[in-house]
Amino acid sequence: MPVFSRFSRYFLAVAQHGSIRRAAEATGISASSIDRQILQGEARLGAALFERLPSGLRLTAAGEMLLVQVRRWDREFGDCRTRMEDLKGLKRGHVTLLIPEAMARGLVPRIVASIREHHPGVTLGVRVMTNHEISPALLEGQGDLALVFDPVVSHRLAVRASVAFPVGFVTTPGHPLTNGQTARFSQCSLYPVIAPRPPLALGEKIAWLAEETGLALNPVCDSDDIEAIRALVRHGVGVSLLSYIDVLPEIEAGTLAFVPLEHSRIRPLTLGFCVDQARSLPVAARLVAQALEQGLPGLAYSAPAV
């Protein structure tokens, strides 16, 4: 929790909630106390931190700059406290994991359950974000570890482990497409199709495939929500094209089937476990990191025996 001052705590709350009233409700502090601290802080800094709008408060450029700094202070103090616990030989601490929606099922819940069982002193926060938000959020200190699809490595962003997931047809079990080890994109024309659409990354891949092959897709339905697509396939509306990780729990449960696409120019979707190289991981984060490194290989696609 922010401990540097009342001002930093109240400032973070107002920045998060966009109004003094909502910040007061979230923190249990009176709105007048929060407003007074914000006004005193602005007076001391000599800069307005928020624009006062009819709909609430919005950070100014100075406020955005201070928000980055306060979050860094908060994160560094948390790291310091965790290292103090490490000196005592205690495996305690809080770890925030940033993940895309597709990872909110399967691997991550299993890892959280395992950590809680074997290291009860470690608490975890799991933040589900859009994939493009995750890497910047990790580098801004909003999380300790991250799972990112197709991560872009930089001087700070390092990939500790990765696994590739093929793109393919998702069908009900026993569908004719499941008779082969792979399937061609042209087979879309034989069955009703539920098309993923942007902002889903696969929407762009499929649009490119349609242009590459000259095949005009005439979907019976489209959706920008993976859960909706899975449900539509289960209910027999049609087949769809997703990555293997999107339907792994259903495949394990036997409610859906997956057949990889046979196309040399379609790259698999790569899931990377990423860390910020500028930060040293405390013991609690290292425990979760180890569990992620051990768990990722088990997600790899394995063709069913024929």
Side-chain angles (χ1 to χ4, degrees):
M1 86 182 201
V3 299
F4 301 101
S5 67
R6 282 183 297 173
F7 167 76
S8 66
R9 182 187 176 197
Y10 300 166
F11 171 74
L12 284 172
V14 176
Q16 178 183 354
H17 296 284
S19 85
I20 288 176
R21 178 183 59 79
R22 289 193 292 271
E25 293 172 353
T27 60
I29 306 297
S30 70
S32 60
S33 295
I34 293 177
D35 189 40
R36 184 167 55 253
Q37 285 291 324
I38 296 298
L39 291 173
Q40 289 175 356
E42 289 179 321
R44 185 165 183 180
L45 291 168
L49 301 175
F50 295 96
E51 292 181 60
R52 272 70 176 178
L53 305 172
S55 57
L57 274 67
R58 183 172 64 193
L59 286 166
T60 63
E64 294 279 4
M65 187 183 304
L66 182 63
L67 180 63
V68 171
Q69 187 65 53
V70 170
R71 282 176 170 166
R72 183 179 299 126
W73 288 335
D74 191 31
R75 182 193 73 207
E76 290 175 352
F77 185 81
D79 289 347
C80 180
R81 288 189 61 185
T82 301
R83 287 194 294 271
M84 290 179 181
E85 296 292 343
D86 293 350
L87 290 174
K88 304 174 189 177
L90 300 175
K91 293 180 179 179
R92 296 178 181 171
H94 183 79
V95 180
T96 300
L97 177 62
L98 310 179
I99 65 170
E101 181 185 359
M103 297 309 302
R105 308 178 309 149
L107 174 68
V108 170
R110 287 198 294 266
I111 285 177
V112 171
S114 176
I115 291 292
R116 293 297 305 144
E117 178 183 358
H118 295 100
H119 306 288
V122 176
T123 60
L124 294 100
V126 179
R127 290 190 59 191
V128 179
M129 312 175 78
T130 60
N131 194 63
H132 75 274
E133 294 174 326
I134 295 176
S135 294
L138 178 68
L139 299 182
E140 289 173 6
Q142 296 182 40
D144 303 295
L145 310 169
L147 294 172
V148 186
F149 285 119
D150 292 335
V152 178
V153 178
S154 67
H155 70 284
R156 285 187 58 185
L157 189 72
V159 178
R160 293 267 295 264
S162 64
V163 61
F165 302 115
V167 174
F169 283 102
V170 177
T171 74
T172 51
H175 190 279
L177 282 170
T178 63
N179 293 333
Q181 292 288 314
T182 59
R184 298 184 306 278
F185 182 69
S186 59
Q187 290 175 270
C188 283
S189 62
L190 302 177
Y191 307 102
V193 174
I194 304 157
R197 56 173 296 175
L200 294 178
L202 278 178
E204 298 175 1
K205 284 183 181 286
I206 291 166
W208 176 86
L209 264 176
E211 184 177 345
E212 172 79 5
T213 60
L215 178 66
L217 273 184
N218 296 303
V220 297
C221 184
D222 63 39
S223 178
D224 61 359
D225 181 78
I226 290 176
E227 179 55 44
I229 294 172
R230 288 189 293 253
L232 289 164
V233 175
R234 285 196 304 269
H235 282 79
V237 175
V239 302
S240 190
L241 286 156
L242 294 173
S243 73
Y244 175 65
I245 190 60
D246 291 325
V247 290
L248 179 55
E250 286 80 8
I251 293 169
E252 292 177 338
T255 58
L256 289 176
F258 178 85
V259 185
L261 269 181
E262 181 184 306
H263 197 293
S264 60
R265 294 182 63 183
I266 281 292
R267 292 190 306 110
L269 197 65
T270 299
L271 177 69
F273 160 44
C274 301
V275 297
D276 180 357
Q277 295 191 101
R279 296 180 60 190
S280 59
L281 296 178
V283 167
R286 292 201 297 270
L287 291 171
V288 179
Q290 183 180 35
L292 288 168
E293 289 174 328
Q294 293 173 348
L296 281 186
L299 299 179
Y301 174 74
S302 178
V306 292

